[in-house]
Amino acid sequence: MITAWAAQLANQAYWLKQIGEQDLVSEFVDAFQRTYPDSEDYRLSKQQFGNKLYGMTHIILADSGYYQRPVNETDHQWIYDYFRRNIDDIIKHTKEDIVAEVGISFLLAGLHDDPVVKKARAAIARAVDKKHGMIPSVSGDFDFAYGEHRNVLAIMLLDWRAPYIGPNVSSDPKLFKQLPYGVQPAA
């Protein structure tokens, strides 16, 4: 499953922990590292290299509650070290989405002046088409629907704002007066 959906599984492991259901984060990280040992990167296809990187960024993004809280670099040192060692290959061989998520991962840890952030920002700035004011889709299309993810990430990376706690049922109960059928606020 990790070789098919690394980012989604990282999300699910953190969601289970965050809702108090079960903490499988360590088991997931161990399985991830066994699935994608760094010494085997040379065997990865472009798609699998991207999947590995998405999984790594989503471990950090999920730990932040999706941009709501800072993360500690030391909690994910193996990921930050990997990104530092491989940033040039990441920029050269992956999509802008991944490059932006790598840079954002550093910003979430307060590492604003890290060379990885500077390289990621420069790569993303180069990718923006000046005429259209956005990064095109992988097929070269400028329809925002086909490039929303990468362009939102580009904006976040280039114009970083501190993590921000979003609305929730405790802090903003008026927003949640009518919950979807079957959903109950956590106690």
Side-chain angles (χ1 to χ4, degrees):
M1 291 296 296
I2 291 171
T3 61
W5 303 105
Q8 293 82 353
L9 291 173
N11 295 343
Q12 291 175 8
Y14 274 90
W15 285 332
L16 286 170
K17 179 181 179 181
Q18 290 162 356
I19 66 171
E21 183 63 35
Q22 191 173 8
D23 186 351
L24 299 172
V25 170
S26 293
E27 289 89 340
F28 171 75
V29 168
D30 290 343
F32 183 93
Q33 290 174 318
R34 285 192 312 275
T35 301
Y36 284 123
D38 297 348
S39 62
E40 297 292 312
D41 278 359
Y42 73 97
R43 296 177 186 257
L44 298 176
S45 67
K46 186 174 183 173
Q47 184 275 332
Q48 279 297 298
F49 185 54
N51 188 60
K52 174 181 180 172
L53 295 169
Y54 267 135
M56 294 168 83
T57 60
H58 275 252
I59 289 169
I60 294 168
L61 299 179
D63 189 24
S64 77
Y66 306 94
Y67 320 106
Q68 294 191 85
R69 307 180 284 286
V71 297
N72 293 315
E73 177 183 6
T74 55
D75 292 346
H76 309 288
Q77 196 65 58
W78 65 279
I79 296 174
Y80 288 101
D81 291 346
Y82 181 89
F83 289 161
R84 285 184 178 108
R85 282 191 313 272
N86 294 286
I87 187 59
D88 294 330
D89 285 336
I90 292 168
I91 290 169
K92 184 177 180 180
H93 298 293
T94 66
K95 301 182 296 184
E96 289 85 4
D97 311 52
I98 294 172
V99 174
E101 284 190 6
V102 168
I104 291 167
S105 295
F106 279 76
L107 294 172
L108 285 165
L111 302 168
H112 304 259
D113 296 323
D114 194 285
V116 169
V117 174
K118 292 177 186 194
K119 287 182 177 189
R121 282 182 166 156
I124 293 301
R126 283 191 305 273
V128 174
D129 180 276
K130 303 303 181 229
K131 179 181 175 191
H132 293 91
M134 64 185 290
I135 300 171
S137 70
V138 291
S139 64
D141 195 322
F142 287 99
D143 183 338
F144 192 70
Y146 298 114
E148 178 181 4
H149 182 253
R150 86 175 23 90
N151 283 284
V152 168
L153 291 168
I155 291 166
M156 290 175 68
L157 176 64
L158 296 173
D159 188 28
W160 180 248
R161 308 298 166 125
Y164 178 78
I165 299 290
N168 64 61
V169 74
S170 298
S171 64
D172 302 289
K174 290 179 183 177
L175 291 176
F176 299 94
K177 280 189 176 183
Q178 288 190 291
L179 294 174
Y181 177 80
V183 174
Q184 298 294 321

